[in-house]
Amino acid sequence: MIVRPADLRALATVTHALIAACGLVFLLGPASGLDPGYGTGDALMVAGTEYFRRWGVVPAELFSGSGRALLTPLTALFVHGSWLHLLGNMLFLHVFGTMTEERMGRARFLGFYVTTGCLALAAYAGANASSTQTLVGASGAVSAVLGAFLCLFPRVRVTSLLPFLFFVPLRFPAWIVLLFWFALQWVAAQRAGSGPGVAYLAHLVGFSLGFCYAWVRFRRTTRVRRPATATEGDSQP
């Protein structure tokens, strides 16, 4: 599913800087296959494994007390395992991060993105504390952006391309698209279990954190102040 809001507002500096940073890290890493320094074949696989273990979250190591391991929830946010993994996350960040950053402000949005992303990764690691599987990617942080967008702009109309409807572009309110996405993550999490694969739990935690933060910090305060700020509703078509 590809989604695009009807109104992408002014240039979002932080959103695009995050996309650029993730893209650059990926291009310079072994997963892109573009750097000959990592070798080919088996050598590339070994280099990739070492690279992900160095910069990604290994749950069994995160809670060992190692200073280096404690930094991995941050570094893992900028590391992706494949082109599809990178492009999927960055597409959603571009589409939903633009308006979210505009509402939050640049500095607050950056802090929100990093904090929720790290917490989502840590939550997954805590639920799988004995696992030695490496966890990388910005999915938890991007999921938090989706949750915040749902809270802040529930009625913004989103264009969706649905595979089971032959990719016919249809427009839905954001709350339908994002709750449908959340439901898919929930179902997938129940089926995935605790084995290796996509960290759906990190998606669910990130989404929930993003929604709750936006509700407490923006929606609730906006409602309290609404009589004194009658012009604030223009960001929700």
Side-chain angles (χ1 to χ4, degrees), residues 172-185:
F172 301 100
W175 69 267
I176 293 179
V177 174
L178 293 175
L179 287 181
F180 179 70
W181 178 90
F182 185 86
L184 289 179
Q185 304 305 304

Side-chain angles (χ1 to χ4, degrees), residues 40-171:
T40 59
D42 292 341
L44 180 60
M45 293 181 62
V46 171
T49 299
E50 293 177 351
Y51 180 87
F52 292 135
R53 288 191 67 84
R54 179 179 181 182
W55 301 111
V57 174
V58 179
E61 297 177 2
L62 180 60
F63 302 104
S64 66
S66 167
R68 186 193 67 81
L70 293 176
L71 292 176
T72 55
L74 175 60
T75 58
L77 291 178
F78 298 91
V79 178
H80 290 81
S82 68
W83 283 98
L84 183 61
H85 189 201
L86 172 72
L87 295 176
N89 276 340
M90 295 305 100
L91 172 63
F92 274 81
L93 177 57
H94 170 69
V95 168
F96 294 102
T98 309
M99 291 177 65
T100 305
E101 179 186 340
E102 182 188 2
R103 171 61 69 88
M104 290 186 179
R106 294 174 182 173
R108 184 176 287 114
F109 178 76
L110 178 60
F112 162 80
Y113 180 90
V114 171
T115 301
T116 55
C118 289
L119 289 175
L121 291 171
Y124 178 87
N128 300 273
S130 62
S131 174
T132 58
Q133 296 290 331
T134 307
L135 180 64
V136 298
S139 300
V142 174
S143 297
V145 173
L146 301 188
F149 191 97
L150 171 62
C151 179
L152 297 173
F153 309 106
R155 292 187 294 276
V156 166
R157 299 193 69 81
V158 172
T159 300
S160 303
L161 302 180
L162 305 178
F164 56 84
L165 292 179
F166 304 102
F167 297 97
V168 175
L170 300 173
R171 291 172 61 79

